[in-house]
Amino acid sequence: MHPRLKAVACCLASTLILLPALVTPRTGAQNREAFTRQAWTLDEAVAALSLQPRDAYLQYVVLQLARRAGRFDEVEPHVRRLVATDADARAERRRGVDLFSLFTGALAVQESLQLDAMRSVTPTRAPPATVNGNVRNMNGNLSAPPARRRRQQPRQRRGQTRTRPTNSNVDFTDEQIVALMEGREPAPPARPRTQGTVQVSALKGPDIKSHPWEKMLAGRRPEVSALARAVPEDFYFAEFRALTKLLDAFEAGDLWGSHLYNQAFRDTATLDVGERLKRQLAVETDPRTRPFYDLVVEEVAVAGSDPFVREGSDVTLLFRVKQPLFFRERMDSFIDAAAKARPDARRETGQYLGVEYVQLQTPERDVSVVSAYPEEGLHVRSNSLAAFRRVVEAIKGKDANGRAVRRLGDISEFAYIRTLMPRGDAREDGFVYLSDPFVRRLMGPVVKLTERRRMVCYNHLRMIGHAALLFRTERGRAPENLEELRASGAAPGLFGEGALSCPDGGRYALSADATAGTCSHHGHALRMTPNIEAPVAQVSGEEADEYGDFVNEYNQYWRTFFDPIAFRLKVTPEELRVETIVLPLIDNTIYTGLANALGGAPEPLDALPVPRRNIFSTGLRLNKERLFKELRAEQGRRPGAVREDLFDLPFGLSGGAASEKTYGLLSKGLGNQWAFHVYDSSPPFELNMPSLLGMLASSGAGRGGMGGGEFGSFVPFVTLALLSLNSPVYLSFPVADEKVVDDYLNWSDAALSHAARNERRGRWFDFEYDFYKFKLSTGEPARAFGLRFDPARLSFYWARIGRGVYVATKPFILEDLAALHAQGQTPTTTPNEDLTGHGLARVRAGSWNEVLPGYNRAWAENEREACLNNLGPLSSAARALTASGAGAPSGEALDRATVELAGRLAGARFACPEGGAYHVSPDGRQVSCGVHGTAADPRQPAAPSEQSAAGRTMRRLTDLTATLTFMDDGLHAVLVVKRK
């Protein structure tokens, strides 16, 4: 599951756990209507949940039935173990770092936007049991209380010494004194919590200033589009040179996103946000309309005030058109068709700042469109009247009170970014920008607190949907109202009262089709009212304190400036290119550690010759300049001293002259890079190379840089040893001075020979060494060194071949490299911009051969798990449909109705990634897949089919690269996917 959606699911599941204990059931006569044959029993629901532990509806059913049976305290811990907290999800996100999340900048974007912060809305069941002031969390571990979470010390900035703040006037508590006596840092005294209510306008956001954009711009005036001047500065902005390019980007993202989503999160439910937005905006984009758009649309843009589109957000389309009359006739016809198809839609006309508009909206916002033509050749289409007005103000340059409006295209910040990514560049089909004001607004109290309250309501509305489905399953009909849900015991109480109330005072009701909840303030569960239409003005003291804690944590990043983020996209049938700039560099431990270890002038990172069987490479441009500068500074403090401990190596290559030799090799003999490469082979066990390398990079990217030491001498070799157990691998080092390298290799022969002849195993865990020299078939001298622990042996082979030094786990790799050199292949002299930087990860899918069967099976296994995760929601829908008895559909009609109902309940489209058909069992209680079977009786294809996202995606993939470059004021990342 996507990290942000996973956080939402965790919040919902946590709410389901705790709310039944908070709500006291009313007494009185219960509905005596007989249960259907499809009604759940508690034991049956618990058994189903054990096979589908991620199914929020089954969690709700188990808890609600346990509450009825008086067994809530017995069953609740079992369900709680299945639910991760928001903090757990965020920690998992940080632990799940891989090379591609690092080198594409995805981690930096995620950290900058903090989309999962303050989205945990779990209510407090009771005062939690504490141990020394710490709350015992769901897994029984100790964690800091949410409201009084201990603040970490600010992260150290580069070049600064961390100091512990002191205060001689602080009176320590007994617990703090004990901590000091035990050598632990005492937790600071809990600050007083705010009482009563607080005006949101009085709350202060993160205390981070903006860049000196005018100074950075230095008088340059890059080209800026007219559409950028039609959008407020605090909206996100995405412009494309043609509507078809926007659609191509969506389709490419859907193809690759479906595959990656299935593989990474074992989830194949498609949210269909794009299709939902097109229906909401009354826009048709089927293949028949594309020639029309190509003919009349010059460029198109998408803008909005926040990114929470999945739950419901404002989205505004802006079209710059070449044939206004023809375009207007067609676009207006779409609204007319929507109005005709929906008799319940309300059509109104209005005017704002002299701009006439038409608004069409249904009660539950499945159609919600505001359409206008503010200028000749400009069309605006929004799903929110409030957002539409903001856009009109930007177009007019003033608001309703005549005050000037700051437009994105007019500010120096946007102009500066356009100097880094010039408009009209051949590499740009689309440009996406998240401005400093947008990020500042997103981090501000209004959006954070409004969204948090909306998430509370969202959880309630989804619970209403669960209660309605449970009622339908037990009674064979849809519920009439919320009171009936309460009286029947399908709900933990009356939605709209007490703990089940909307935090903004909205009134709850059943949706028109009785499958979900609606709120008079926040709207439908799957199409919530955008935050821009219902900003919160006043909050409780507890909410204010929670936001204050968020701000304190955000400020601890020690960043000087806010982070504007820019993306540039290129979409062709042969290539998908995504370029990202994040300004400035977020000061978290991973990126700051990498920036310390890597740096200097960017270099081509894949310049050395590569054998045909190479399937994966990662290269790093080490910041030797910084390292040796620090060494020279230390020598100034310690005259005549060389950091011998820094260059110590085993086997006699350490101390005195040896360290001097090693210093010379690193400073003069080798270049600035090292790279790791994987060969095509049949691996004995599955190993995710990018994930392992990403974890090594992130765990070693501390103050000392890569590997925990200041230069991390042993990290490449430890990594090589670990990964060589699974595939032939090798390291490559560009050579700066061949003579220095050869002298070092010849000098080291004696020490290694001595170690091999004199080191013998004396204890259980000692190694015997082996060393010898040999010649490659092309004549180059090579060396071999073995570590023997009978009966196992691990050997390394190395040689200087041309302008590279190579260390391999198999001698045939050196032979392949030597053959390339003999054929005249030399390091690349013409740098490829997309392969130039400080860090590179590259997949050569065109070289996959022996690994492919294993990869195919792994992809197919992930798709099976994703498909089986669909069966829980589908089976629950089938139970409800067949509960009505004789009037229920059957056969193929039941299969189709089941998929349709499950999709309507979840706001998603359930489909087997392999194209398998879903079938309801004869008793109506279980759904199976024609390809993957059931969760209790699963089946597994050997490889993805031609129809699957994995099959289509990987069949076309030839090459994938991710390159990261650290700039003076941020980072630059490029992802390139090449296709057949």
Side-chain angles (χ1 to χ4, degrees):
M1 187 178 293
H2 188 279
R4 187 161 70 85
L5 300 186
K6 184 171 183 178
V8 173
C10 290
C11 294
L12 175 59
S14 300
T15 305
L16 299 182
I17 287 175
L18 297 181
L19 273 178
L22 285 172
V23 180
T24 303
R26 292 184 176 183
T27 58
Q30 297 294 311
N31 192 328
R32 302 297 183 182
E33 186 176 353
F35 282 1
T36 70
R37 63 182 179 86
Q38 300 294 43
W40 293 95
T41 66
L42 178 56
D43 291 341
E44 190 179 19
V46 169
L49 183 61
S50 67
L51 292 174
Q52 300 288 350
R54 296 168 55 181
D55 191 324
Y57 171 69
L58 286 178
Q59 294 172 5
Y60 178 90
V61 170
V62 168
L63 292 169
Q64 193 60 19
L65 296 183
R67 175 177 171 273
R68 285 187 196 167
R71 296 172 56 189
F72 185 85
D73 290 338
E74 170 194 342
V75 174
E76 180 264 349
H78 172 71
V79 179
R80 183 180 290 270
R81 285 192 294 270
L82 304 175
V83 180
T85 65
D86 183 56
D88 293 335
R90 297 179 68 188
E92 181 181 343
R93 180 192 71 200
R94 298 298 299 271
R95 289 193 300 267
V97 174
D98 63 22
L99 283 182
F100 290 102
S101 66
L102 282 173
F103 290 174
T104 60
L107 180 64
V109 172
Q110 200 170 41
E111 292 287 5
S112 296
L113 297 183
Q114 295 283 298
L115 294 182
D116 52 2
M118 284 189 64
R119 290 170 67 83
S120 177
V121 294
T122 305
T124 303
R125 179 184 178 188
T130 62
V131 178
N132 295 331
N134 292 325
V135 178
R136 189 169 298 278
N137 65 19
M138 291 183 180
N139 298 317
N141 301 318
L142 294 179
S143 61
R148 299 180 180 177
R149 188 177 297 117
R150 172 183 165 186
R151 291 184 56 183
Q152 298 176 353
Q153 293 297 323
R155 292 180 175 89
Q156 181 181 4
R157 300 181 71 176
R158 223 175 302 167
Q160 290 185 343
T161 302
R162 186 189 299 260
T163 59
R164 180 176 297 172
T166 60
N167 186 343
S168 59
N169 296 321
V170 173
D171 292 327
F172 290 101
T173 65
D174 291 344
E175 184 180 350
Q176 291 173 318
I177 293 173
V178 171
L180 288 170
M181 293 177 65
E182 294 176 351
R184 295 183 285 112
E185 183 180 357
R191 62 183 177 86
R193 311 309 290 178
T194 305
Q195 304 297 320
T197 59
V198 178
Q199 296 297 318
V200 174
S201 59
L203 298 177
K204 185 180 180 181
D207 187 19
I208 301 171
K209 61 184 180 181
S210 298
H211 277 278
W213 297 112
E214 282 290 347
K215 180 179 179 180
M216 297 166 64
L217 192 57
R220 291 171 290 179
R221 291 292 178 262
E223 181 184 356
V224 174
S225 70
L227 291 180
R229 292 189 171 94
V231 173
E233 66 170 353
D234 59 352
F235 274 32
Y236 69 78
F237 177 71
E239 62 177 335
F240 290 80
R241 61 178 60 182
L243 182 62
T244 52
K245 288 298 182 182
L246 171 62
L247 298 176
D248 288 344
F250 269 112
E251 290 175 359
D254 183 59
L255 177 63
W256 289 93
S258 295
H259 169 62
L260 297 176
Y261 201 77
N262 292 349
Q263 297 300 314
F265 304 112
R266 280 57 157 184
D267 196 328
T268 187
T270 304
L271 298 177
D272 277 345
V273 174
E275 290 298 319
R276 188 180 71 204
L277 284 174
K278 285 190 289 186
R279 289 192 298 270
Q280 197 174 45
L281 290 165
V283 174
E284 297 180 14
T285 60
D286 57 71
R288 295 172 301 173
T289 61
R290 288 204 175 193
F292 157 71
Y293 290 119
D294 288 334
L295 179 66
V296 301
V297 176
E298 183 177 350
E299 57 184 354
V300 63
V302 184
S305 66
D306 68 51
F308 306 118
V309 179
R310 185 256 185 264
E311 296 87 20
S313 181
D314 59 289
V315 175
T316 300
L317 301 178
L318 299 97
F319 297 86
R320 181 67 64 181
V321 298
K322 295 177 283 189
Q323 299 184 37
L325 293 178
F326 184 29
F327 177 85
R328 182 167 187 165
E329 179 182 357
R330 191 65 177 270
M331 296 300 286
D332 288 352
S333 71
F334 294 157
I335 294 181
D336 294 338
K340 184 177 180 181
R342 293 296 303 270
D344 59 336
R346 184 181 72 255
R347 183 167 186 159
E348 297 178 342
T349 59
Q351 188 182 88
Y352 186 67
L353 295 181
V355 176
E356 296 182 350
Y357 64 83
V358 173
Q359 182 178 19
L360 183 71
Q361 184 168 302
T362 56
E364 295 180 358
R365 294 184 76 108
D366 47 339
V367 175
S368 178
V369 55
V370 182
S371 174
Y373 301 86
E375 295 177 351
E376 181 69 19
L378 176 65
H379 175 55
V380 177
R381 208 175 188 91
S382 181
N383 66 353
S384 166
L385 184 59
F388 168 79
R389 287 173 174 166
R390 289 289 314 279
V391 170
V392 170
E393 290 172 355
I395 294 170
K396 297 299 182 180
K398 62 180 181 179
D399 63 15
N401 298 317
R403 294 173 297 198
V405 171
R406 289 174 59 87
R407 305 183 294 191
L408 182 65
D410 292 335
I411 62 177
S412 300
E413 170 195 341
F414 189 76
Y416 175 74
I417 295 298
R418 272 310 197 180
T419 65
L420 303 179
M421 292 181 168
R423 176 173 160 79
D425 191 289
R427 293 166 297 182
E428 179 178 308
D429 289 330
F431 175 77
V432 181
Y433 190 60
L434 311 180
S435 66
D436 175 315
F438 172 78
V439 178
R440 191 177 299 275
R441 183 175 182 275
L442 193 62
M443 299 300 107
V446 174
V447 173
K448 279 294 180 189
L449 291 167
T450 301
E451 175 63 11
R452 188 195 183 283
R453 285 193 168 191
R454 195 173 70 151
M455 287 305 302
V456 174
C457 182
Y458 172 81
N459 287 340
H460 293 167
L461 299 182
R462 290 301 304 271
M463 288 179 67
I464 292 174
H466 294 333
L469 186 62
L470 178 59
F471 181 95
R472 184 171 178 175
T473 303
E474 293 181 333
R475 310 293 171 146
R477 61 178 179 85
E480 296 180 357
N481 50 49
L482 299 181
E483 173 58 34
E484 189 171 33
L485 291 179
R486 184 206 63 79
S488 67
L494 182 61
F495 287 98
E497 289 187 354
L500 297 173
S501 299
C502 169
D504 283 310
R507 298 182 306 278
Y508 290 154
L510 280 171
S511 61
D513 60 1
T515 61
T518 64
C519 173
S520 61
H521 185 82
H522 291 107
H524 191 280
L526 303 177
R527 295 174 294 275
M528 302 196 79
T529 303
N531 288 325
I532 196 173
E533 295 186 12
V536 64
Q538 184 174 278
V539 295
S540 68
E542 182 180 0
E543 291 172 304
D545 287 337
E546 184 180 1
Y547 180 72
D549 291 341
F550 161 75
V551 170
N552 290 337
E553 183 178 351
Y554 194 85
N555 285 334
Q556 286 176 14
Y557 279 111
W558 275 70
R559 291 172 304 171
T560 308
F561 305 107
F562 260 103
D563 297 342
I565 301 167
F567 303 91
R568 181 161 62 183
L569 300 95
K570 177 73 175 179
V571 185
T572 67
E574 298 79 25
E575 182 178 283
L576 171 64
R577 184 180 188 274
V578 182
E579 184 178 359
T580 307
I581 288 180
V582 181
L583 298 175
L585 172 64
I586 187 170
D587 192 13
N588 70 23
T589 55
I590 296 176
Y591 278 109
T592 49
L594 284 175
N596 288 335
L598 314 179
E603 295 180 356
L605 295 173
D606 205 20
L608 291 176
V610 174
R612 180 183 55 83
R613 291 177 60 189
N614 184 310
I615 61 172
F616 174 78
S617 299
T618 180
L620 302 175
R621 198 283 189 192
L622 302 176
N623 194 357
K624 293 202 315 183
E625 297 91 335
R626 176 178 173 272
L627 168 65
F628 293 127
K629 180 179 179 180
E630 292 178 355
L631 288 176
R632 286 191 293 271
E634 183 164 344
Q635 280 186 300
R637 295 189 297 270
R638 298 169 54 193
V642 174
R643 287 290 306 281
E644 295 182 2
D645 62 310
L646 180 63
F647 301 107
D648 277 354
L649 294 176
F651 320 125
L653 304 180
S654 61
S659 290
E660 292 281 1
K661 282 282 188 180
T662 305
Y663 179 89
L665 173 71
L666 297 176
S667 61
K668 300 178 181 178
L670 298 179
N672 301 313
Q673 302 176 31
W674 74 267
F676 169 79
H677 309 269
V678 180
Y679 247 51
D680 183 35
S681 68
S682 299
F685 55 89
E686 295 178 13
L687 183 66
N688 190 321
M689 297 281 183
S691 293
L692 176 58
L693 292 171
M695 287 189 290
L696 287 171
S698 61
S699 63
R703 292 196 319 173
M706 296 290 291
E710 287 185 293
F711 197 73
S713 303
F714 283 104
V715 166
F717 302 102
V718 172
T719 303
L720 190 71
L722 287 173
L723 299 179
S724 66
L725 301 176
N726 202 48
S727 298
V729 296
Y730 70 97
L731 299 174
S732 64
F733 304 85
V735 171
D737 189 315
E738 295 179 13
K739 184 178 184 304
V740 171
V741 172
D742 289 342
D743 287 347
Y744 182 86
L745 294 177
N746 292 330
W747 168 83
S748 66
D749 290 344
L752 293 173
S753 298
H754 183 273
R757 300 299 299 170
N758 288 274
E759 295 289 341
R760 287 292 180 266
R761 190 176 71 200
R763 295 180 300 274
W764 274 98
F765 294 103
D766 285 345
F767 290 96
E768 291 184 0
Y769 305 137
D770 189 20
F771 172 76
Y772 60 88
K773 297 173 65 176
F774 63 101
K775 283 189 177 293
L776 301 175
S777 58
T778 52
E780 287 92 344
R783 280 91 171 166
F785 192 87
L787 302 174
R788 186 166 56 235
F789 180 72
D790 290 334
R793 178 188 175 97
L794 179 64
S795 297
F796 300 98
Y797 307 85
W798 67 92
R800 181 187 67 79
I801 302 172
R803 300 293 295 181
V805 171
Y806 303 94
V807 182
T809 58
K810 299 294 180 183
F812 66 77
I813 297 177
L814 298 183
E815 294 286 0
D816 289 349
L817 290 163
L820 290 178
H821 180 65
Q823 295 168 10
Q825 293 196 27
T826 58
T828 303
T829 57
T830 304
N832 182 333
E833 183 178 353
D834 290 341
L835 302 178
T836 300
H838 296 121
L840 168 74
R842 184 170 190 176
V843 175
R844 295 178 173 87
S847 300
W848 285 344
N849 185 16
E850 293 184 44
V851 300
L852 198 55
Y855 285 178
N856 276 330
R857 178 165 289 278
W859 294 328
E861 288 172 350
N862 290 340
E863 291 198 328
R864 168 185 48 79
E865 187 173 347
C867 177
L868 296 182
N869 286 335
N870 288 345
L871 300 184
L874 290 169
S875 297
S876 297
R879 271 184 177 257
L881 285 171
T882 55
S884 57
S890 60
E892 294 183 0
L894 176 59
D895 296 340
R896 291 192 299 270
T898 296
V899 174
E900 191 276 332
L901 176 59
R904 195 162 73 248
L905 293 170
R909 177 164 44 88
F910 293 102
C912 170
E914 289 294 325
Y918 290 125
H919 302 290
V920 180
S921 62
D923 63 2
R925 295 188 168 202
Q926 182 172 274
V927 173
S928 62
C929 172
V931 173
H932 297 107
T934 66
D937 185 22
R939 297 193 299 271
Q940 178 63 60
S945 68
E946 295 287 321
Q947 293 77 30
S948 71
R952 289 181 290 138
T953 302
M954 307 319 292
R955 187 172 63 252
R956 296 190 59 192
L957 177 66
T958 59
D959 190 82
L960 185 151
T961 60
T963 310
L964 181 69
T965 304
F966 292 99
M967 305 182 297
D968 291 338
D969 52 2
L971 61 85
H972 176 226
V974 178
L975 172 68
V976 179
V977 179
K978 293 186 177 181
R979 304 173 285 190
K980 296 178 184 177

